[in-house]
Amino acid sequence: MTSPAGPPPTGSGNGERQRLKLLAVTACPTGIAHTYMAAEKLAQAAESRGIEMKVETQGSIGAENVLDDNDVKHADGIIVAADKDVDLSRFAGKRVLTVGVAEGIRHPEQLIERVLSAPVHAAGGTPTAPAAGGGKERSVGYKALMNGVSYMIPFVVVGGLLIAISLSLGGHTDPSGGLVIPKDSFWMDVNNIGVIGFTLMVPILSGYIAYAIGDRPALVPGMIGGWIANTGELYDSKAGAGFIGAIVTGFLAGYLVLWIKKVKVPKFAQPIMPIIVIPIVATTALGLFFIYVIGKPISWVFEHLTDWLSGMTGTSAILLGAILGLMIAFDMGGPVNKTAFLFGAGLIATGNQTVMGMCAAAIPVMPLGQGLATLIRKRLYTEQERETGFAALFMGCFGISEGAIPFAAARPAQVIPANMLGGAVAGAIAGVAGVEDAVPHGGPIVAVLGAVSGVPMFFVAVVIGSVVTALTTVALVDLGERKRRGEAAGFGAGAAGLEPAPAGVPSGGGGGGGGAVVAPAAVRGPATAAAAASGATAVADEAAVPEPSGLGGASAEVLSGHLTEQTVKVGLEAGDKEAAIREMAELLARTGKVADLEELVATALRREAQGTTGLGEEIAIPHAKTDAVTEPVVGFARSAQGVEWGSLDGTKARLVFMIAVPEAAAGDEHLRILALLSRKLMDAGFRERLLAASGESALLEVLREVE
């Protein structure tokens, strides 16, 4: 054990040596268990050394136990154990040590010593970039992209749904103007509101990518750069650069701001750098660069692409339809998409409606296919993505291809090829069938409103293309995640599109004399409170333990009856994690509350693939949110030899709890169960009593202490 040596505290100003005061911030990519595990470990390490520490947790439900100005003013150092961006500007002038969240769990004592000699954070510094050795984490670029996508999704959903509603209730076909909504009507106003949402979608994506890289000074250049990228008129292009252009401008703005921040300026100019100088310089430079350097070539490329398409009108309808479908599906409203769309729309006036028919069949394939994929394999998607999938299905019916953009931006390597394959299939089928579209719009709505000839084959093309996209997406995403299963480092990858791990929250402060201020004892919100049982060290639980009472009847119930003697097992027979989860699921099935055993096992294993639920201290809490169970149910089993669970502290799991709740109960009830367990499992004596109990009844008697 290292000693608490270090320089004198810097927080006091009276020259008197006082108790050392440290602060910490913990955060993991999904704001789940390891956020709270690191918080608890750091607080316990500080308490054992007589150091006062307050830990802010930035979980999926938001920041808790937030560090205020007074905390920072009197702090001797700040530890930031995070695998996501954390704003460091409030820590200017203080010693700040940044590491990965896993370091906060594995080596809290070392971090406490290292922070005393950490560099002083300068004003205008950047968000955290975890130090080497801080544990496995996502790249800065990936996290920045996911940051932009998460902020963009509400704009896509709101804008797309409002446009779809206005078209369905207020639109009609007009031979001279396509699918139109009467001017000055109520539904035109609704449509205009939706268009505003779509207009903001691209700059929001760009702006928040930039923000994740360069912090606040990068937000304005990122957003304005995204607007420029999406406004083709600024660089003589009929089609803007779309969401792909927004990704480019977002990264350019973020890294440009980082570069400008490195420029040394006189001290008097430093306060105005982040709010005036950097945003103005970066915005101007990025905007002009895009217009004059990037924009002109984009315009030239797509003008010649249109000419090339014009030369193909006499070729095979299957080939032309496949090419148009590929283009429509590539960037969903971007320049490639618009080039194909404008080509088809322009030919309507010449009497050639078959080209627009090919485009119309491909246009809805992307949102319909991605929405269908979220239904086919729910476990591959987060709750937010599944909700976006429902919205995408609705948008697809109204020919709004942008509904698939959130999926393409989050997983471009899997989603864009799948989209293009489905779009090509739909376009080729429509081409060979001679489908015609008399209006410049796509999707099932144009067929319903009578603008399409060859309606049966039009729907055949749309359905087959959508199914191809959905199945290809599922296969590619599943393949990608299988490759990553062996790479999990103990924290979730929800941003990558997996079902997020439940959030865990440790209980408040530990022992008596330490006076440490730790993470809050409970969490409120949609995230679940699991695993903060986290790899806790042996700290006695200060809460009074209720006197055990006799078993039998209703009294033989724990956690509001979710855990009973029926779901307790003394000897877990399985020797590996997968077998253990199946054995635990079979234990839960004794209650009659498991409707689909295989689905329950698969959901729990899917959760494990994104990050271990092995919490250290010989504890594992596998869990599943799935309608494979009809009511919340909890099981417990003890393993004599231990099961390798991938815990961060390297211990095998001997105490295994399994929690399963229906989707509808995945909020407060899931949270309550996990919070109760996590608090009690901090008690080393409680764990010892569980290991020593001789039978199911004795185990349940000990487990009654959880209440």
Side-chain angles (χ1 to χ4, degrees):
M1 179 69 72
T2 51
S3 63
T10 60
S12 63
N14 55 13
E16 221 176 283
R17 186 176 183 89
Q18 297 183 356
R19 189 179 182 192
L20 199 66
K21 296 180 180 179
L22 298 178
L23 305 178
V25 180
T26 62
C28 61
T30 52
I32 311 299
H34 295 82
T35 296
Y36 304 101
M37 292 172 67
E40 188 69 19
K41 284 288 192 178
L42 286 166
Q44 290 174 349
E47 182 186 7
S48 68
R49 296 167 164 294
I51 296 172
E52 182 177 348
M53 175 177 279
K54 179 176 179 180
V55 185
E56 174 183 307
T57 55
Q58 294 192 4
S60 58
I61 60 168
E64 293 198 300
N65 211 34
V66 176
L67 308 178
D68 58 33
D69 292 343
N70 190 56
D71 294 326
V72 176
K73 179 181 178 181
H74 295 94
D76 297 297
I78 297 101
I79 299 169
V80 179
D83 288 317
K84 59 180 283 189
D85 296 318
V86 175
D87 182 9
L88 300 184
S89 60
R90 54 186 166 152
F91 304 140
K94 295 291 181 178
R95 296 187 182 277
V96 178
L97 175 66
T98 61
V99 296
V101 70
E103 281 293 281
I105 299 170
R106 291 172 177 151
H107 308 298
E109 298 88 356
Q110 294 179 19
L111 297 185
I112 288 173
E113 290 203 350
R114 287 171 57 192
V115 72
L116 301 177
S117 58
V120 175
H121 182 68
T126 62
T128 59
K136 178 176 171 58
E137 60 161 330
R138 290 288 194 176
S139 67
V140 172
Y142 179 86
K143 290 188 288 184
L145 180 60
M146 291 302 100
N147 192 58
V149 170
S150 66
Y151 280 100
M152 175 189 67
I153 285 176
F155 291 86
V156 176
V157 173
V158 172
L161 292 182
L162 288 178
I163 292 173
I165 291 170
S166 65
L167 284 172
S168 63
L169 300 178
H172 61 83
T173 55
D174 185 338
S176 62
L179 188 63
V180 298
I181 301 172
K183 293 181 179 179
D184 300 323
S185 69
F186 170 79
W187 293 113
M188 177 56 77
D189 292 334
V190 174
N191 182 272
N192 289 337
I193 295 171
V195 169
I196 291 172
F198 259 18
T199 304
L200 291 173
M201 169 187 70
V202 172
I204 288 292
L205 173 63
S206 177
Y208 280 97
I209 289 174
Y211 176 81
I213 297 170
D215 205 12
R216 291 190 189 94
L219 187 60
V220 171
M223 286 193 174
I224 294 179
W227 189 286
I228 292 171
N230 201 41
T231 308
E233 294 89 345
L234 294 174
Y235 42 92
D236 300 324
S237 174
K238 292 182 180 180
F243 85 95
I244 294 178
I247 292 174
V248 172
T249 56
F251 281 105
L252 286 176
Y255 285 108
L256 177 60
V257 166
L258 285 184
W259 179 77
I260 296 174
K261 283 181 177 181
K262 295 178 181 178
V263 177
K264 293 185 178 181
V265 297
K267 191 172 183 179
F268 73 86
Q270 290 178 358
I272 64 172
M273 287 293 290
I275 59 174
I276 298 177
V277 178
I278 294 177
I280 289 178
V281 172
T283 300
T284 304
L286 177 63
L288 294 176
F289 177 77
F290 199 95
I291 291 172
Y292 290 107
V293 179
I294 299 178
K296 295 294 183 181
I298 289 176
S299 176
W300 181 88
V301 167
F302 291 109
E303 284 177 5
H304 285 74
L305 187 57
T306 302
D307 294 338
W308 176 69
L309 286 174
S310 299
M312 292 190 63
T313 53
T315 62
S316 167
I318 296 179
L319 177 59
L320 180 59
I323 291 174
L324 289 171
L326 288 170
M327 294 176 65
I328 288 288
F330 175 68
D331 54 2
M332 294 149 287
V336 178
N337 172 287
K338 280 193 172 70
T339 297
F341 177 83
L342 293 173
F343 174 67
L347 290 177
I348 293 175
T350 69
N352 183 350
Q353 299 178 357
T354 57
V355 174
M356 191 62 217
M358 302 172 193
C359 296
I363 283 171
V365 163
M366 299 78 72
L368 291 176
Q370 295 305 322
L372 183 60
T374 65
L375 298 178
I376 293 175
R377 292 292 297 277
K378 291 182 179 181
R379 296 189 303 276
L380 292 176
Y381 297 90
T382 65
E383 183 178 352
Q384 182 185 43
E385 286 177 315
R386 292 195 295 269
E387 292 172 356
T388 305
F390 281 113
L393 287 169
F394 191 70
M395 283 185 261
C397 292
F398 295 91
I400 303 171
S401 60
E402 288 88 347
I405 286 179
F407 299 97
R411 300 186 182 92
Q414 291 84 28
V415 171
I416 291 178
N419 284 347
M420 293 174 68
L421 181 59
V425 169
I429 293 174
V432 75
V435 172
E436 295 184 350
D437 182 10
V439 298
H441 199 81
I445 188 174
V446 294
V448 172
L449 294 177
V452 170
S453 65
V455 172
M457 287 307 299
F458 172 80
F459 278 107
V460 167
V462 170
V463 170
I464 294 178
S466 300
V467 170
V468 168
T469 288
L471 294 179
T472 306
T473 299
V474 166
L476 292 177
V477 173
D478 193 40
L479 179 63
E481 296 307 329
R482 286 177 186 275
K483 289 181 178 178
R484 290 188 57 243
R485 282 185 181 180
E487 300 173 8
F491 43 78
L498 292 169
E499 182 176 64
V505 184
S507 63
V517 185
V518 301
V523 174
R524 298 164 303 282
T528 51
S534 52
T537 52
V539 177
D541 189 336
E542 294 182 12
V545 177
E547 290 296 326
S549 59
L551 297 176
S555 66
E557 296 180 344
V558 179
L559 294 170
S560 303
H562 301 322
L563 191 155
T564 67
E565 191 166 359
Q566 209 174 15
T567 58
V568 172
K569 191 172 185 179
V570 171
L572 189 67
E573 299 172 3
D576 59 74
K577 184 195 296 190
E578 184 170 348
I581 287 176
R582 178 169 291 278
E583 189 174 339
M584 292 299 297
E586 292 170 350
L587 182 65
L588 299 187
R590 294 178 181 177
T591 63
K593 298 177 182 178
V594 177
D596 188 336
L597 179 65
E598 293 303 320
E599 178 64 18
L600 174 58
V601 172
T603 302
L605 289 175
R606 191 65 207 162
R607 167 61 189 90
E608 292 296 329
Q610 76 176 82
T612 180
T613 56
L615 307 179
E617 305 294 346
E618 301 182 315
I619 301 166
I621 310 183
H623 41 265
K625 294 183 292 182
T626 173
D627 289 330
V629 295
T630 57
E631 296 178 40
V633 58
V634 182
F636 169 74
R638 190 176 65 197
S639 172
Q641 72 275 15
V643 178
E644 179 55 56
W645 219 280
S647 300
L648 286 178
D649 65 358
T651 60
K652 291 185 176 181
R654 297 183 63 197
L655 305 175
V656 181
F657 291 86
M658 185 168 186
I659 303 169
V661 298
E663 289 282 357
D668 293 341
E669 187 63 9
H670 201 178
L671 166 67
R672 189 184 72 82
I673 294 170
L674 290 165
L676 286 170
L677 278 177
S678 68
R679 285 199 295 269
K680 193 60 187 175
L681 286 167
M682 291 308 199
D683 183 354
F686 175 70
R687 298 196 300 271
E688 290 172 1
R689 289 191 291 278
L690 284 177
L691 290 171
S694 58
E696 275 83 1
S697 296
L699 274 174
L700 196 64
E701 184 73 16
V702 177
L703 289 168
R704 283 173 52 80
E705 299 178 22
V706 175
E707 298 288 356

